[in-house]
């Protein structure tokens, strides 16, 4: 028990039988002084390890992380019950991208006092295109597993970490693994989700925590993933945790963030971020006027994604939080590799036979394929949605007009006569 107490961040919500009136809590192990101490040590060393030459600027780099969602279900048709739809999953990816790029619709509601510290974290997430053997996934970013329903059984973080995760994890240096399960109990309470903090093992003076690679990633219940604002599925109908912020919060832990209130004092910087004002308590629901610390010049920052407020209430990461998460991606084992993973982008064996130009492009794109006979193409946006599809006219070259399409990252998929699939990343600017 002690081991995971210090190595994971756990979040839960308490659901009583009378689910509408229950006392709800977002997160569990926030009283751990030991954890806080370790993270302090981690960040101290991360700061040293992560120093980049002064002529290198990384602030403008957008880091992109490929996701694989392992969906465990009871054999229901796709889109029903625990066998959640791709659309529900893609709505979650959309929320992550909005929140981490500060494109969330409710960013305008950030209190004026905090607008200047609110940050575009510069991290994006996309569904993996290929499985670990290099085969194209039938559903981008999704692997489904049918399991048996056992009456009375529920998952705990111990059974997940011991059994389910090690048996199903894909290389955590190439994929960010997210397990979607039907039940979760943390300390005998119904849980929302939990995340594993960045591994500390390569850092001086810290104990090895063996086996962590086999459990690295995030776990979330099937009815807490995605946003009801974006996808109309019955399991997301009930709030207040139905807008996808559970995973935003957990991703913060995965990338090394603590809660702003973790110091439980008006005089301690609980999360090592000076721009999240110290506070001595967590917050629920959405009371914007709350000011726990009378010595603070500002209200408590209850809109921070790392507090416990309702999904609709949350709307910012700060500059300091953004820097810390980016630093973790630059130096931490199994985090730094993710940003250069190509599982979502290209089939290496075909790379030399394809030309796509100009790329980035503003409107016209030419695709040339040699050594295979193209028969059809599809264009997907970063959420995995098909935005265009057509058969390939005769010849080896194709001209596409992309004018009018939103700027951003796209994936071009070309099917060949021999059954091959060629994927290329296309940027419209
Ligand atoms: Zn938390």
């Amino acid at each position: 028990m002690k081991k995971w107490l210090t190595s994971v961040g756990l979040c839960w919500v308490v659901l009583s039988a009378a689910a509408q009136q229950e006392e709800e809590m977002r997160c569990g192990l926030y009283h751990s002084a030991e954890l806080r101490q370790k993270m302090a040590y981690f960040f101290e060393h991360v700061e040293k390890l992560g120093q980049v030459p002064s002529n290198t600027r990384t602030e403008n780099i957008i880091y992109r992380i490929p996701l694989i969602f392992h969906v465990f279900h009871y054999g229901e048709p796709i889109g029903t019950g625990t066998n959640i739809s791709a659309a529900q999953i893609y709505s979650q990816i959309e929320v992550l991208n909005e929140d981490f790029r500060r494109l969330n619709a409710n960013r305008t509601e950030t209190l004026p006092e905090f607008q200047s510290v609110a940050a575009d974290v510069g991290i994006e997430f996309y569904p993996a295109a290929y499985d670990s053997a290099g085969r194209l996934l039938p559903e981008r970013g999704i692997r489904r597993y049918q399991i048996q329903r056992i009456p009375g059984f529920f998952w705990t973080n111990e059974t997940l970490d011991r059994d389910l995760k090690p048996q199903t994890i894909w290389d955590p240096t190439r994929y960010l693994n997210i397990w979607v399960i039907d039940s979760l109990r943390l300390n005998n309470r119904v849980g929302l989700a939990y995340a594993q903090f960045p591994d500390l093992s390569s850092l001086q003076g810290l104990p090895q925590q063996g086996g962590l690679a086999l459990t690295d990633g995030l776990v979330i219940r099937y009815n807490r993933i995605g946003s009801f604002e974006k996808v109309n599925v019955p399991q997301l109908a009930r709030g207040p945790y139905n807008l996808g912020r559970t995973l935003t919060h957990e991703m913060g832990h995965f990338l090394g963030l603590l809660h702003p209130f973790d110091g439980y004092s008006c005089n301690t910087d609980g999360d090592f971020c000076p721009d999240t004002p110290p506070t001595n308590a967590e917050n629920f629901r959405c009371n914007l006027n709350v000011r726990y610390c009378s010595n603070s010049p500002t209200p408590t920052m209850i809109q921070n994604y790392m507090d416990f407020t309702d999904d609709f209430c949350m709307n910012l990461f700060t500059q300091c939080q953004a820097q810390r998460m980016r630093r973790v991606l630059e130096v931490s084992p199994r985090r730094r590799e993710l940003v250069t993973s190509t599982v979502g982008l290209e089939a290496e064996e075909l790379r030399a036979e394809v030309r796509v130009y100009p790329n980035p492009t503003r409107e016209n794109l030419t695709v040339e394929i040699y050594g295979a006979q193209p028969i059809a193409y599809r264009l997907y946006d970063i959420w995995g949605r098909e935005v265009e599809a057509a058969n390939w006219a005769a010849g080896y070259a194709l001209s596409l007009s992309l004018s009018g399409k939103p700027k951003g990252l796209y994936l071009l998929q070309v099917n060949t006569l021999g059954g091959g699939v060629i994927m290329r990343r296309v940027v419209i600017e």
Side-chain angles (χ1 to χ4, degrees):
M1 177 68 81
K2 189 140 192 202
K3 191 172 160 199
W4 63 257
L5 270 173
T6 59
S7 60
V8 298
L10 298 170
C11 291
W12 66 46
V13 56
V14 179
L15 298 173
S16 69
Q20 302 302 322
Q21 303 96 308
E22 80 275 19
E23 188 61 35
E24 290 174 305
M25 288 174 63
R26 251 188 196 276
C27 212
L29 300 174
Y30 45 95
H31 291 283
S32 169
E34 192 185 350
L35 168 66
R36 198 173 161 276
Q37 216 169 39
K38 282 193 175 178
M39 291 310 286
Y41 196 93
F42 173 72
F43 280 123
E44 188 186 311
H45 285 261
V46 158
E47 293 297 342
K48 286 178 194 155
L49 281 172
Q51 269 167 17
V52 289
S54 56
N55 59 351
T56 311
R57 294 174 64 83
T58 64
E59 307 96 80
N60 297 328
I61 298 173
I62 305 300
Y63 291 120
R64 295 197 167 86
I65 300 179
L67 307 178
I68 182 69
F69 290 84
H70 303 280
V71 177
F72 291 83
H73 64 87
Y74 295 132
E76 306 101 316
I78 289 177
T80 322
T82 57
N83 200 5
I84 62 174
S85 66
Q88 187 179 341
I89 288 172
Y90 298 151
S91 79
Q92 178 65 66
I93 300 179
E94 206 169 324
V95 171
L96 288 172
N97 283 310
E98 289 170 358
D99 291 350
F100 279 78
R101 293 304 316 273
R102 194 151 174 81
L103 297 170
N104 48 307
N106 67 344
R107 67 187 181 278
T108 54
E109 292 164 26
T110 299
L111 289 179
E113 293 92 326
F114 301 128
Q115 285 285 355
S116 63
V117 298
D120 170 1
V121 182
I123 300 174
E124 293 178 356
F125 304 86
Y126 63 94
Y130 290 93
D131 72 10
S132 45
R135 293 172 300 229
L136 192 74
L137 286 162
E139 291 177 286
R140 214 158 294 275
I142 302 171
R143 171 83 170 89
R144 298 179 187 272
Y145 309 74
Q146 184 171 346
I147 55 172
Q148 257 189 329
R149 190 192 296 270
I150 303 168
F153 175 84
F154 49 82
W155 292 106
T156 65
N157 53 303
E158 286 98 341
T159 53
L160 287 162
D161 285 359
R162 191 189 63 212
D163 303 325
L164 185 128
K165 286 165 138 192
Q167 285 180 35
T168 52
I169 191 167
W170 289 7
D171 182 351
T173 64
R174 297 169 67 212
Y175 303 86
L176 199 173
N177 288 266
I178 301 173
W179 289 270
V180 183
I181 40 119
D182 66 316
S183 61
L184 178 61
R185 284 199 179 233
L186 308 168
N187 272 357
N188 289 323
R189 303 171 86 169
V190 178
L192 282 176
Y194 72 101
Q196 186 164 305
F197 278 111
D199 192 2
L200 313 180
S201 64
S202 75
L203 297 170
Q204 237 183 352
L206 288 174
Q208 293 290 323
Q209 302 192 9
L212 275 181
L214 286 174
T215 57
D216 209 1
L218 313 169
V219 173
I220 185 164
R221 277 198 0 257
Y222 77 102
N223 52 1
R224 287 292 173 261
I225 190 169
S227 169
F228 193 60
E229 273 179 0
K230 298 178 188 295
V231 63
N232 188 349
V233 292
Q235 58 256 37
L236 287 177
R238 193 177 63 80
Y241 304 125
N242 61 351
L243 301 180
R245 260 66 194 249
T246 297
L247 214 63
T248 298
H249 179 110
E250 293 306 322
M251 196 63 80
H253 286 316
F254 180 82
L255 296 173
L257 295 189
L258 295 174
H259 306 116
F261 52 80
D262 274 336
Y264 279 92
S265 158
C266 290
N267 303 309
T268 307
D269 188 2
D271 60 353
F272 312 103
C273 271
D275 57 10
T276 60
T279 175
N280 57 11
E282 62 275 42
N283 295 279
F284 301 94
R285 299 185 172 78
C286 195
N287 181 359
L288 292 177
N289 299 317
V290 71
R291 187 183 297 242
Y292 279 113
C293 296
S294 54
N295 59 346
S296 168
T298 63
T300 307
M301 189 188 275
I302 71 155
Q303 296 170 317
N304 196 280
Y305 294 122
M306 301 312 291
D307 206 332
F308 285 0
T309 39
D310 291 349
D311 275 11
F312 80 90
C313 192
M314 297 178 158
N315 57 41
L316 81 152
F317 287 118
T318 66
Q319 301 286 348
C320 168
Q321 288 176 318
Q323 277 167 20
R324 287 190 182 279
M325 288 192 277
R326 292 176 63 84
R327 199 51 63 86
V328 164
L329 277 181
E330 284 151 17
V331 304
S332 181
R334 293 195 308 277
R335 302 288 183 276
R336 63 184 177 218
E337 293 93 340
L338 284 175
V339 297
T340 54
S341 173
T342 56
V343 292
L345 302 179
E346 315 187 49
E348 284 176 37
E349 68 279 9
L350 291 167
R351 190 173 291 163
E353 304 173 22
V354 183
R355 291 181 198 157
V356 178
Y357 61 89
N359 194 9
T361 180
R362 272 164 210 258
E363 42 187 47
N364 293 319
L365 187 74
T366 302
V367 185
E368 296 176 8
I369 309 243
Y370 302 96
Q373 191 180 333
I375 54 171
Y377 74 92
R378 288 188 169 82
L379 193 65
Y380 297 95
D381 67 13
I382 196 170
W383 325 117
R385 292 179 300 215
E386 185 180 293
V387 294
E388 200 169 308
N391 289 328
W392 189 291
Y396 62 86
L398 176 77
S399 266
L400 282 177
S401 170
L402 302 175
S403 59
K405 294 214 177 351
K407 292 177 184 177
L409 178 66
Y410 291 78
L411 292 168
L412 176 73
Q413 173 184 319
V414 178
N415 292 80
T416 64
L417 193 61
V421 177
I422 296 164
M423 298 291 299
R424 283 297 178 274
R425 172 182 161 164
V426 173
V427 175
I428 301 178
E429 63 177 17

